[in-house]
Amino acid sequence: MRLSHMFARTQREAPADAELISHQLMLRGGYIRQLASGIFSYLPLGWRVIKKLENIMREEMDAIGGQEILMPVVHPAEVWQETGRWQTIGPELVRFLDRAERDMVLAMTHEEVIADIARKEIVSYRQLPQMVYQIQTKFRDEPRPRGGLIRVREFNMKDAYSLHASWESLDEFYPTISQAYEHIFERAGLDAVRIEADPGMMGGTDSHEFVLIADSGENTIVRCENNDYAANLENARCAPQQSEGQAIGTLEAVATPNAETIEEVARQLDVPTTQTLKTMMYRVGDEVVMVVLRGDRTVNDFKLPKVLGTDKYRPATDGEIRAFGGVAGYASPLGLTNIKVYADESAQWGSNFVVGANKAGYHTRNANIGRDFPIEKFYDLSNVQEGDRCPTCGGRLTFTRGIEVGHIFKLGTKYSEGLHAYFLDADGKEKPIVMGCYGIGSGRLAAAAIEQHHDDKGITWPLPIAPYHIHLVALGLNDANVKQNAEQLYQQLLAAKFEVLYDDREDAQAGVKFNDADLIGIPIRVTISPRSLKAGGVEIKRRQQSETRVVALDALQAELRAYLGEQ
């Protein structure tokens, strides 16, 4: 491709609202252009990157027996109503009426459609298992698109679906798809980590994300220092803490005026926050419930709805707390028998706690679970903290930032039961198909790759997903000898099947051409100029290295193949 004919221009500056480096560089490098909030066009360079990523995905899906299909972007509302997601998903799902006044939706995902196909095609256990995949456009009306392609409304996704006769079959297949995902990221030259994750609106049981570690990531990733465990913060666990044994003390009410927070109580009583229990009270439906956790812990807003069985809850009002004998800021389970208590596992990590006395201005020392208030069951309700111990090996947990680029789920029978996608087993009994779902967003993956691979000059593409492998820069094109040799070299490289972007612009200065080469980020730069020809050939430079060296024209192809073969 000749840069003079490229359907895009590089830009010196990015728009002020482009905060993430990938957004800035993709705009400046001529990879994408924005049409509306969260809606982008891919220009030729950007589309080449996407196609390379998608070809890797196709090859890895085919390698494990996947069959490629294509499902519609527009769905009738009926299939979403049958699974219940029409009612439970909010404005992210775009609904509209067609000309016949029928309810329709824009696809944000395709579980309903694949289940609809399966109920028509799968009749016997002999047809299972199956795995199909597609690469298709989806639309999710995100309230706050951000970071260019990192969080958009319209996006391309490779989504795969496996269909099984049993949970055991799904469990057996799950590591296979997980390994295929690892191969995709490895082949793309990207450092991805598999972590435990929350299924979210998809439902199901086991779920894992693949994240690229990057400071700009919106997800907090919890990792063990020994690499034995990794999870998203919303789903992370830690090993129980061991507390020092101490004699059980006597309950003692103490005045704590104007101390309505754990920090104020700990400061007034000169105890660490780990020696306190905090109480949160919520209104859930028609009842008020109490959540108890150790004072240094915070409630995990993703875990709590699972324990409560609903995401429809809110903090209780002062009046609602008083109705149960508590006092806002001074509440605890002490003496309260008519309220449901959800205790976090951290409440077990100690004894002789300071708790609220259910009396304004007072707390109680030496409160102990069992003796002073019963707790029948403990739940994982709180966020882990840096320095906590790994639940697998006991190593220390650390926090980092990451960008989710892939997600795999064990869906189970949620969608097959909703749409009655059943099959007959060996005994002739009707059973629901057990499903798995596996997605990678190609645009987000490209942007995340830049977040992981860039420097202060521009993008540093990994070779497998670079739009071109070689950036041929011709300087001094007003020199007939340079022009002739540059054109001849370009044609020779094309004939030899090299991927070449040729900067043949006659009106651009050397500095502009070199800056654009660094910005666009193609792995190898080959420069032909009067100086290089005088020195005996062309200058060759790898994008991430500063030194250049002269290679003879007749040795260039061998040099390039040697480099490309290393990758």
Side-chain angles (χ1 to χ4, degrees):
M1 169 58 68
R2 297 175 188 272
L3 197 56
S4 62
H5 295 166
M6 181 71 73
F7 184 64
R9 294 177 298 126
T10 58
Q11 300 175 350
R12 298 277 71 82
E13 303 292 337
D17 61 349
E19 298 178 1
L20 295 189
I21 191 66
S22 60
H23 191 188
Q24 297 171 12
L25 294 178
M26 294 189 93
L27 288 171
R28 290 184 54 214
Y31 285 85
I32 60 173
R33 291 293 181 259
Q34 184 166 330
L35 177 64
S37 176
I39 302 175
F40 291 84
S41 297
Y42 292 101
L43 301 183
L45 287 175
W47 191 237
R48 286 182 67 90
V49 173
I50 297 300
K51 298 300 287 183
K52 288 190 173 186
L53 286 167
E54 292 178 349
N55 285 339
I56 292 173
M57 296 178 200
R58 282 190 172 95
E59 291 172 4
E60 292 300 328
M61 292 297 99
D62 291 346
I64 60 172
Q67 302 172 68
E68 186 169 5
I69 64 174
L70 187 65
M71 291 179 279
V73 176
V74 176
H75 304 170
E78 286 84 357
V79 292
W80 289 76
Q81 291 164 350
E82 287 182 72
T83 62
R85 290 208 291 182
W86 173 269
Q87 295 82 7
T88 59
I89 296 179
E92 295 84 0
L93 180 65
V94 175
R95 300 164 169 87
F96 64 97
L97 296 175
D98 67 9
R99 65 193 301 167
E101 298 296 311
R102 291 173 297 213
D103 284 315
M104 310 292 284
V105 305
L106 287 182
M108 62 190 300
T109 184
H110 279 79
E111 287 74 34
E112 280 78 5
V113 177
I114 195 64
D116 176 71
I117 297 172
R119 68 179 168 181
K120 300 168 184 174
E121 301 297 328
I122 305 298
V123 296
S124 169
Y125 72 97
R126 293 187 179 90
Q127 296 173 265
L128 299 171
Q130 295 274 2
M131 194 272 275
V132 295
Y133 72 94
Q134 66 169 353
I135 300 175
Q136 176 61 293
T137 302
K138 301 183 189 296
F139 193 92
R140 184 174 300 170
D141 201 5
E142 291 281 354
R144 290 177 295 279
R146 64 177 291 271
L149 300 184
I150 293 295
R151 183 168 294 280
V152 292
R153 295 194 291 165
E154 180 179 301
F155 55 98
N156 289 355
M157 175 172 280
K158 189 288 301 170
D159 49 327
Y161 302 90
S162 63
L163 310 173
H164 305 267
S166 66
W167 274 100
E168 290 76 16
S169 175
L170 174 57
D171 291 341
E172 182 180 350
F173 178 73
Y174 196 75
T176 301
I177 192 76
S178 178
Q179 187 174 60
Y181 269 43
E182 291 173 2
H183 290 166
I184 289 170
F185 301 122
E186 288 170 4
R187 288 184 57 188
L190 305 174
D191 179 20
V193 178
R194 192 184 94 150
I195 65 173
E196 293 183 6
D198 187 275
M201 73 170 184
M202 302 294 287
T205 56
D206 291 353
S207 171
H208 292 84
E209 291 178 2
F210 292 83
V211 298
L212 297 190
I213 303 303
D215 291 340
S216 57
E218 59 186 350
N219 295 341
T220 299
I221 309 305
V222 179
R223 302 179 71 181
C224 172
E225 62 184 351
N226 300 323
N227 293 321
D228 286 335
Y229 176 77
N232 201 312
L233 178 61
E234 65 192 39
N235 208 53
R237 299 169 289 111
C238 65
Q241 293 186 12
Q242 302 299 318
S243 57
E244 296 182 5
Q246 55 180 304
I248 300 301
T250 303
L251 280 179
E252 176 189 3
V254 291
T256 51
N258 302 316
E260 297 185 3
T261 68
I262 286 295
E263 291 71 21
E264 292 167 343
V265 172
R267 185 166 50 252
Q268 283 195 25
L269 299 183
D270 194 24
V271 297
T273 55
T274 56
Q275 195 65 45
T276 68
L277 291 181
K278 70 170 65 170
T279 298
M280 319 287 287
M281 300 189 72
Y282 299 94
R283 179 65 180 259
V284 183
D286 295 330
E287 66 176 341
V288 174
V289 302
M290 182 177 287
V291 173
V292 177
L293 60 161
R294 205 173 69 175
D296 62 319
R297 299 279 143 169
T298 56
V299 172
N300 183 305
D301 292 331
F302 295 91
K303 296 177 181 178
L304 183 58
K306 293 181 181 179
V307 172
L308 297 179
T310 178
D311 59 359
K312 302 294 189 289
Y313 63 90
R314 59 168 174 77
T317 65
D318 290 358
E320 289 169 339
I321 295 173
R322 284 195 301 271
F324 283 91
V327 176
Y330 299 90
S332 80
L334 276 178
L336 302 183
T337 59
N338 59 341
I339 189 168
K340 186 179 294 184
V341 178
Y342 294 93
D344 181 55
E345 293 171 348
S346 64
Q348 302 176 91
W349 304 342
S351 57
N352 293 333
F353 289 111
V354 173
V355 301
N358 292 314
K359 180 180 178 181
Y362 285 85
H363 280 76
T364 300
R365 289 183 183 270
N366 299 324
N368 287 276
I369 295 173
R371 184 193 70 177
D372 302 312
F373 50 89
I375 298 293
E376 297 180 359
K377 186 176 181 179
F378 293 88
Y379 302 88
D380 179 13
L381 289 169
S382 61
N383 290 304
V384 302
Q385 298 177 354
E386 284 198 273
D388 283 348
R389 294 294 179 175
C390 170
T392 301
C393 71
R396 292 198 174 275
L397 297 178
T398 62
F399 285 11
T400 188
R401 306 295 294 180
I403 302 170
E404 178 193 342
V405 290
H407 208 153
I408 59 178
F409 306 83
K410 292 182 182 179
L411 295 177
T413 59
K414 173 180 177 178
Y415 299 95
S416 54
E417 288 180 337
L419 286 156
H420 204 80
Y422 282 60
F423 68 96
L424 296 179
D425 68 9
D427 297 323
K429 294 181 179 179
E430 195 175 60
K431 291 184 177 179
I433 296 171
V434 181
M435 296 175 57
C437 171
Y438 323 98
I440 298 178
S442 49
R444 174 182 280 202
L445 184 56
I450 296 173
E451 294 292 331
Q452 202 171 66
H453 295 274
H454 68 273
D455 59 20
D456 59 354
K457 296 180 179 179
I459 304 169
T460 59
W461 286 115
L463 182 66
I465 61 173
Y468 294 91
H469 292 160
I470 299 160
H471 195 136
L472 175 61
V473 177
L475 303 180
L477 285 171
N478 57 336
D479 183 317
N481 185 43
V482 172
K483 190 168 187 175
Q484 179 181 353
N485 276 279
E487 182 64 28
Q488 184 177 2
L489 176 57
Y490 176 53
Q491 296 300 333
Q492 289 173 346
L493 292 174
L494 291 181
K497 305 301 181 183
F498 288 101
E499 297 181 26
V500 186
L501 178 64
Y502 175 29
D503 191 343
D504 62 334
R505 294 175 295 177
E506 297 187 5
D507 57 347
Q509 298 298 314
V512 171
K513 290 190 173 187
F514 288 150
N515 287 339
D516 281 349
D518 285 338
L519 174 63
I520 292 169
I522 292 170
I524 307 172
R525 190 181 80 198
V526 174
T527 303
I528 185 168
S529 66
R531 186 178 72 175
S532 75
L533 291 174
K534 185 177 181 181
V538 296
E539 292 181 348
I540 187 169
K541 174 185 176 296
R542 298 187 184 186
R543 171 63 182 83
Q544 292 175 283
Q545 298 178 355
S546 58
E547 65 273 9
T548 62
R549 57 192 181 88
V550 175
V551 176
L553 285 170
D554 58 3
L556 178 61
Q557 289 194 29
E559 183 81 14
L560 293 174
R561 292 197 189 283
Y563 172 67
L564 297 176
E566 292 173 4
Q567 305 303 306

